[in-house]
Amino acid sequence: YSTAEQQDVVIIGGGPGGYVAGIKAGQLGMKVTVVEKRGKLGGTCLNVGCIPSKALLNASHMYEDAKTRFSNYGVKVGSVEVSVADMMKYKEKSVNGLTSGIEGLFKKNKVSYSKGHGSIVSPNQVEVTAADGTKSVINTKNIVIATGSDVVSLPGLVIDEKQIVSSTGALSLTTVPKRLVVIGGGVIGLELGSVWSRLGSETTVVEFTPRIAAGADGEVAKKFQRTLEKQHIKFHLETKVTGVTKNADGTVSVNTESVGGSGHSGAIVADVVLVSVGRRPQTQQLGLEKVGVATDKAGRVEVDENFRSNVQSVFAIGDAIKGPMLAHKAEEEGIACIEYLHNGGGHVNYGAIPSVIYTHPEVAWVGKTEEELVKEGAKFKVGKFPFMANSRARTNDDTEGFVKMLSDVATDRILGVHIMGANAGEMIAESVLAVEYGASTEDIARTCHAHPTLSEAVKECAMEKPIHF
Ligand code: FAD
Ligand code: NAI
C-alpha cells in the first residue's frame, strides 16, 4: 500500500516506537507511511525480542513446574519431556499472530505500509529500496527515525547464530545445549539464561562488573542472584571474557580473566555461547550524514525534549535515541512525538518508566534505587515486605521475594518501588501510577486491595506498621 502522495509524516522503522507512532498518526487523521525493511512489522520486540523471549520463558517455566512442582500439589503426570521443535512452533505462533495483527491495525487506521529499506535523501524525502532493488521516493512534511537497535558483539568475536549466538540465535536453538555460557549478566542474559537452564543446560553467566541486573536496586540484585543460583545458574562476576576459541571436539572455550576480587580466570568449556553485552542504535545507512542529522558517540540521534533532531523536519524515538532500550519507552515516545507534530503537545515522564526482568521470580521496579537516593543525599525511608508473609504467595507455594518501597522522609512521597516476586511485572503498574501521580506511601496503604492477592504485599509494604509482618 505504498503511496506517492505527499505525507504529513514518514516513519522509518516498524517496531514498537514506529508502528505505535504510525497508528497514533492515523488516528489523528494525519497522512502517514511506515517504512519497514524486515518484511514484518513489530520490530525487534515482536520478532526477536520481548515476545518470543516471553513465549519461551512461559513454556520453559511450565516444563519446570511440571517436572519439579506438580507432584507437590497432587497433580500426577507421567514422564515430562521437552520437544524443542514444538516449543519453537508455539513461540512462532505467538509472534506471527501479533505481527500480522499490526498489519490489520494499520489498515483500520489508514496507515500506509511501505516494505523496504528507508533512507533520508533530503529533509523532506525518504527513499525506499524494496527487496528486489526497486527504488521509490516519498515526499513528506516530517520524518521520524524509529530504526531501533541491533546486537553488538565483543571485539574479535564473530556471532554465527548457531554456536556463538546473540539473543536472536538463542531464541531459535534447535536442541538444548549441554553447557551454555552467557556473556553479560544483564536482562537478556538472565532471561534467556533462565530459559535454557530450565530446559536442562548447565548455565554459567560471566559478568564484567561486580553485580548482575544493572539498573536494578543493589539489594534486590544481590537477592535475585542468590535466587538464580538456587535455580542452578552459576555466576562469575568481575570477570572479563578475553576471547572464545573453537575446540576440535566441537565445543568452544570461553577464555576469562579476573578483573576483581571475586573474578574467575581460565577457560570455561561450552556447547553454546550467548553474547548479551548490550545493543547499539541502528542509525547507519540511513542517510543521516547526507542531511546533517547529528548523532552522539554511541550513534544515537541527538534530539531535544520534543524528539526533534538538529534538522527541523527530522525526529527520532525509541532505541535510536538516548534512554532505556525498552519497548514501552519507545511506544510512549512514538505517541508523544506524533502528538507534538499534531498540536504541539506530547510528553513522556522518564521518572515513571517501569523495568521488568521476566524470570521466575520476576524483578520489577520504577523510580529511584536506594543507591541513587544515597548518591543524591536524599532523606528517605525504606519499607520492606516479604512474600512469605503474603497469603496468596503462601497458597501459591511461591513465596520467594519481597517488596521494597523508598519514600521521602518529609513528604512521604514515593520515590522508588522494587519488587522481586512472581508476577512482579504486573504488580509494578500500581506503583508506576503512584509515582506518576506523586502519591505517598499512605495513599497506597489506605487503598483497599483485594484479598487474597499478591498486590496486598505492596499495600502492606506501604503501611507504617504492616499487619502480617
Ligand atoms: P525496534 O523494535 O528495533 O524496531 C526498529 C525497526 O526498524 C526494525 O524492525 C528494523 O528492521 C527497522 N529498520 C531499521 N532500519 C531501517 C531502515 N533503514 N529502513 C526500514 N526499516 C528499518 N523491551 C521491553 O520493554 N520488554 C521486554 O520484555 C523486552 N525483551 C527483549 C528481549 C530481547 C531478546 C531483546 C533483544 C530486546 C528486548 N526488549 C524488551 C527491548 C525492545 O525490543 C526494544 O526496546 C524495542 O523493540 C525498541 O523499539 P524501537 O521501535 O525503537 O526499535
Ligand atoms: P544490558 O545492558 O542489560 O546488559 C549487558 C551486561 O553485559 C551488563 O551487565 C554489562 O556489564 C555486561 N558486559 C558488557 N561487556 C561485557 C564483557 N566484555 N564481559 C562480560 N560482561 C560484559 O544488555 P542486554 O542484556 O544485552 O540487553 C540489551 C537491551 O535490551 C537492554 O538495554 C534491555 O533494556 C533490553 N531488554 C529488555 C528486556 C526487558 O525489559 N525485560 C529483556 C531483554 C532485553
Side-chain angles (χ1 to χ4, degrees):
Y1 3 160
S2 102
T3 173
E5 202 184 344
Q6 147 116 352
Q7 299 291 286
D8 290 318
V9 58
V10 169
I11 298 160
I12 308 178
Y19 91 73
V20 167
I23 292 172
K24 186 73 195 173
Q27 288 172 344
L28 293 172
M30 296 166 86
K31 284 191 191 126
V32 54
T33 297
V34 173
V35 183
E36 171 56 60
K37 65 178 181 183
R38 187 186 290 273
K40 277 171 146 196
L41 292 168
T44 302
C45 178
L46 275 79
N47 291 286
V48 289
C50 331
I51 298 304
S53 60
K54 265 79 259 180
L56 293 184
L57 279 157
N58 180 48
S60 59
H61 182 60
M62 286 205 271
Y63 166 68
E64 196 174 51
D65 265 1
K67 209 174 64 167
T68 61
R69 282 161 53 104
F70 277 14
S71 60
N72 299 346
Y73 317 120
V75 179
K76 297 198 172 162
V77 287
S79 78
V80 180
E81 281 157 41
V82 173
S83 159
V84 174
D86 287 346
M87 208 175 266
M88 291 299 164
K89 270 190 216 145
Y90 149 71
K91 175 205 75 175
E92 271 144 35
K93 199 171 154 212
S94 32
V95 168
N96 291 336
L98 290 170
T99 54
S100 56
I102 303 173
E103 290 204 32
L105 292 171
F106 272 17
K107 285 187 187 134
K108 184 176 156 201
N109 292 290
K110 299 196 171 53
V111 181
S112 301
Y113 172 22
S114 176
K115 287 187 188 175
H117 179 101
S119 71
I120 304 175
V121 287
S122 87
N124 299 97
Q125 285 180 312
V126 173
E127 181 182 75
V128 182
T129 310
D132 64 5
T134 323
K135 288 185 192 296
S136 58
V137 169
I138 313 174
N139 296 315
T140 178
K141 286 186 197 147
N142 293 294
I143 297 167
V144 176
I145 298 167
T147 48
S149 62
D150 209 350
V151 293
V152 291
S153 188
L154 293 173
L157 191 56
V158 180
I159 291 176
D160 59 24
E161 297 297 15
K162 295 258 176 307
Q163 189 166 34
I164 301 177
V165 299
S166 72
S167 51
T168 304
L171 289 165
S172 290
L173 297 178
T174 51
T175 54
V176 180
K178 188 169 175 302
R179 288 153 302 188
L180 173 72
V181 168
V182 176
I183 309 177
V187 204
I188 291 182
L190 300 175
E191 287 188 354
L192 294 179
S194 285
V195 165
W196 292 106
S197 160
R198 290 169 188 170
L199 297 179
S201 298
E202 285 166 33
T203 303
T204 307
V205 176
V206 180
E207 165 59 47
F208 187 78
T209 69
R211 56 164 291 169
I212 63 165
D217 183 87
E219 181 186 10
V220 174
K222 248 193 207 131
K223 295 204 165 138
F224 182 40
Q225 185 184 333
R226 297 284 100 80
T227 298
L228 293 174
E229 281 166 349
K230 279 195 255 164
Q231 297 172 12
H232 310 294
I233 298 180
K234 262 171 84 178
F235 289 91
H236 291 306
L237 306 183
E238 301 184 285
T239 302
K240 181 177 157 186
V241 171
T242 52
V244 177
T245 43
K246 296 206 174 190
N247 303 322
D249 63 357
T251 62
V252 286
S253 291
V254 179
N255 304 310
T256 66
E257 200 178 280
S258 168
V259 289
S262 66
H264 176 272
S265 295
I268 312 170
V269 176
D271 302 285
V272 170
V273 180
L274 164 60
V275 186
S276 48
V277 293
R279 295 176 60 85
R280 65 145 187 250
Q282 216 176 342
T283 50
Q284 311 79 20
Q285 283 124 35
L286 247 184
L288 298 190
E289 328 71 47
K290 199 176 273 175
V291 285
V293 172
T295 52
D296 66 14
K297 268 198 210 131
R300 300 175 293 200
V301 178
E302 289 190 279
V303 291
D304 66 13
E305 66 281 7
N306 298 314
F307 311 103
R308 179 176 260 140
S309 74
N310 60 322
V311 175
Q312 185 78 4
S313 57
V314 179
F315 294 74
I317 57 170
D319 281 10
I321 66 169
K322 64 180 184 295
M325 287 183 164
L326 296 172
H328 42 280
K329 178 258 191 189
E331 293 184 18
E332 293 300 315
E333 291 180 339
I335 288 180
C337 177
I338 293 298
E339 283 177 338
Y340 176 75
L341 288 177
H342 182 65
N343 63 10
H347 171 72
V348 176
N349 177 3
Y350 290 96
I353 293 180
S355 294
V356 182
I357 307 177
Y358 295 86
T359 44
H360 192 91
E362 292 180 344
V363 176
W365 68 95
V366 63
K368 300 278 170 76
T369 63
E370 188 165 347
E371 294 74 30
E372 283 167 341
L373 292 176
V374 168
K375 208 165 151 199
E376 284 173 14
K379 290 204 164 49
F380 61 97
K381 299 176 283 184
V382 184
K384 271 183 229 166
F385 189 85
F387 283 105
M388 190 56 119
N390 170 275
S391 60
R392 186 65 181 275
R394 294 279 285 264
T395 54
N396 287 350
D397 189 23
D398 207 351
T399 53
E400 190 90 24
F402 62 109
V403 182
K404 173 172 176 177
M405 201 173 281
L406 308 167
S407 55
D408 188 278
V409 167
T411 65
D412 192 35
R413 187 181 178 135
I414 296 170
L415 303 172
V417 180
H418 304 268
I419 309 176
M420 176 170 107
N423 276 316
E426 300 288 345
M427 267 185 282
I428 199 70
E430 145 175 55
S431 301
V432 181
L433 195 66
V435 171
E436 181 73 43
Y437 281 23
S440 63
T441 64
E442 188 181 348
D443 288 326
I444 291 192
R446 290 191 183 279
T447 301
C448 182
H449 288 60
H451 177 76
T453 58
L454 298 172
S455 42
E456 284 176 291
V458 177
K459 175 190 166 92
E460 291 222 54
C461 184
M463 290 169 88
E464 210 159 62
K465 288 202 170 78
I467 302 294
H468 297 97
F469 184 62

